[in-house]
Amino acid sequence: MYNAKAYSVAGATSPFAATTIKRRDPTPHDVQIEILFCGICHSDLHTARNEWSSVMPTVFPCVPGHEIVGRVTKVGSAVTRFGSGDLAGVGCLVDSDGTCPECRASLEQFCPNGTLTYNARDKHLGGVTYGGYSDSVVVDERFVVRVPSNLDLAGAAPLLCAGITTYSPMRHWGITKGKKVGVVGLGGLGHMGVKFAHALGAHVVAFTTSPRKKEDALRLGADEVVISRSADEMRKHAGSFDFILDAVSADHDINAYVHLLRRDGNITLVGAPEKPLAVSAFGLLLGRRSLSGSPIGGIRETQEMLDFCSTHGITADVEVIPIQKVNEAYQRLLKSDVKYRFSIDMASLKSP
Ligand SMILES: [Zn+2]
Ligand SMILES: [Zn+2]
């Protein structure tokens, strides 16, 4: 074991503070990574504040962070795909059983025995896993992906969660040139959804409640922007979408979007509203439309997504902050006051 610098919260109402955590020495299958950037995902905030206590209660102290990009500093003797100095990424998962049908299908995100990057049981050291708000991390090579060197690293970090979460359902639902794709909600997830749909060749319509976001949506790659509060504007698109990505995590009327789908169209939820959504059966019946959800993606697909980003020059739009500003960033995140993701420059952890 060795000591790593980190920022943790001691309780659901405590601010982040500098601390030291234990990391394992790399086993033969491990990769040790010096963390350069870590994105701030809304899940980090939910976990730090124990807002998901009914599903996965937070064990304190908690070190969140699952949008990790860094440089390999050491590899175990059995590691074959990474060497010292390589750029590497780690997302929401750091382990799985590797034997179940989901793992064998490279869909580790559905493994019943998966290990999340933070706040999950640590098989090696006991206690819980600690995430990326730290200067280093040690991860089984199977859960480490290559980060293409042409990507801006601060903007690449959010690809590990926000990126794969929006890329995966678009691949699953066959988004290609000629499809009409809607993206609801222009936040950390939604802005990535617009970029991917555009790069996949779709005709992209961004839905937003705020006219202020129109210019930005067009800049991100939307072909059209619809102000969702306008019933008239919404009606114009009735029955026309192949696919809609719903990235809204607040309560909202999903039926308004279901009606915009064409026959066999699909709307996929990637946001997680706290309360159940009311869904009209008629909206789904008429047109054989479907509603589904999608969480992150498997490791193989995460690598595919990063390579796609490399080819198309895609990264998240980020505001880079030093770790000392993380409490302030959380306050702003609560107000959706960020374009579109915070990325922590982990070099700041070295300063006192
Ligand atoms: Zn996340
Ligand atoms: Zn499995």
Side-chain angles (χ1 to χ4, degrees):
M1 281 194 305
Y2 70 97
N3 289 327
K5 286 185 174 183
Y7 259 55
S8 71
V9 280
T13 55
S14 315
F16 278 94
T19 187
T20 301
I21 55 170
K22 300 281 182 210
R23 297 286 195 194
R24 67 178 182 269
D25 292 317
T27 70
H29 297 280
D30 283 334
V31 174
Q32 183 185 47
I33 300 164
E34 177 195 6
I35 301 175
L36 299 176
F37 291 94
C38 184
I40 298 180
C41 174
H42 223 106
S43 305
D44 299 357
L45 188 152
H46 287 302
T47 306
R49 299 185 168 210
N50 202 15
E51 288 172 356
W52 286 341
S53 58
S54 57
V55 200
M56 22 183 172
T58 305
V59 176
F60 294 100
C62 171
V63 179
H66 58 207
E67 295 183 334
I68 299 168
V69 163
R71 200 171 282 284
V72 175
T73 46
K74 200 190 267 184
V75 296
S77 56
V79 169
T80 57
R81 294 185 302 112
F82 293 91
S84 246
D86 288 351
L87 290 173
V90 177
C92 303
L93 290 166
V94 289
D95 206 355
S96 72
D97 57 28
T99 54
C100 77
E102 309 293 1
C103 287
R104 277 188 271 131
S106 299
L107 297 169
E108 298 85 358
Q109 72 271 37
F110 303 118
C111 177
N113 301 304
T115 303
L116 295 171
T117 303
Y118 60 81
N119 197 43
R121 194 176 70 83
D122 187 328
K123 285 199 280 196
H124 298 266
L125 298 181
V128 291
T129 51
Y130 294 127
Y133 297 9
S134 172
D135 59 2
S136 77
V137 67
V138 177
V139 179
D140 187 301
E141 125 171 91
R142 293 182 298 126
F143 289 83
V144 182
V145 286
R146 296 189 160 280
V147 175
S149 59
N150 66 324
L151 297 179
D152 168 66
L153 296 183
L159 298 175
L160 277 304
C161 175
I164 186 62
T165 298
T166 49
Y167 179 84
S168 181
M170 290 202 198
R171 294 285 287 145
H172 179 75
W173 290 97
I175 302 315
T176 50
K177 198 167 167 54
K179 301 275 180 172
K180 184 170 172 183
V181 171
V183 176
V184 189
L186 265 189
L189 291 173
H191 97 288
M192 289 309 308
V194 170
K195 290 187 185 206
F196 284 132
H198 174 74
L200 287 164
H203 180 86
V204 188
V205 180
F207 293 92
T208 175
T209 51
S210 124
R212 287 180 297 112
K213 290 196 176 168
K214 186 166 179 173
E215 286 310 310
D216 240 19
L218 295 171
R219 179 183 59 80
L220 293 167
D223 297 287
E224 294 178 63
V225 179
V226 169
I227 307 303
S228 53
R229 290 204 175 107
S230 159
D232 270 357
E233 273 195 60
M234 293 288 277
R235 207 172 297 122
K236 277 185 219 156
H237 292 272
S240 68
F241 282 88
D242 296 287
F243 176 76
I244 297 177
L245 185 82
D246 184 340
V248 178
S249 51
D251 193 26
H252 61 293
D253 177 19
I254 191 173
N255 300 299
Y257 297 101
V258 170
H259 284 282
L260 302 188
L261 295 170
R262 60 192 304 161
R263 170 175 52 77
D264 292 327
N266 170 268
I267 178 164
T268 290
L269 306 178
V270 290
E274 205 183 324
K275 296 199 185 100
L277 295 166
V279 183
S280 153
F282 285 107
L284 296 174
L285 294 173
L286 305 173
R288 199 165 54 189
R289 297 152 171 152
S290 63
L291 162 66
S292 42
S294 183
I296 52 175
I299 302 303
R300 188 168 73 194
E301 193 173 53
T302 302
Q303 186 65 65
E304 176 194 306
M305 179 271 310
L306 286 169
D307 296 341
F308 181 86
C309 288
S310 173
T311 304
H312 294 270
I314 294 174
T315 51
D317 285 24
V318 291
E319 186 176 331
V320 179
I321 59 161
I323 188 93
Q324 290 80 5
K325 295 255 188 205
V326 66
N327 291 308
E328 202 178 293
Y330 272 44
Q331 290 304 322
R332 289 181 49 200
L333 191 58
L334 282 172
K335 294 182 280 183
S336 302
D337 173 25
V338 55
K339 279 186 177 174
Y340 281 90
R341 206 68 155 176
F342 288 111
S343 185
I344 306 168
D345 180 354
M346 224 41 87
S348 59
L349 200 48
K350 294 194 176 87
S351 46

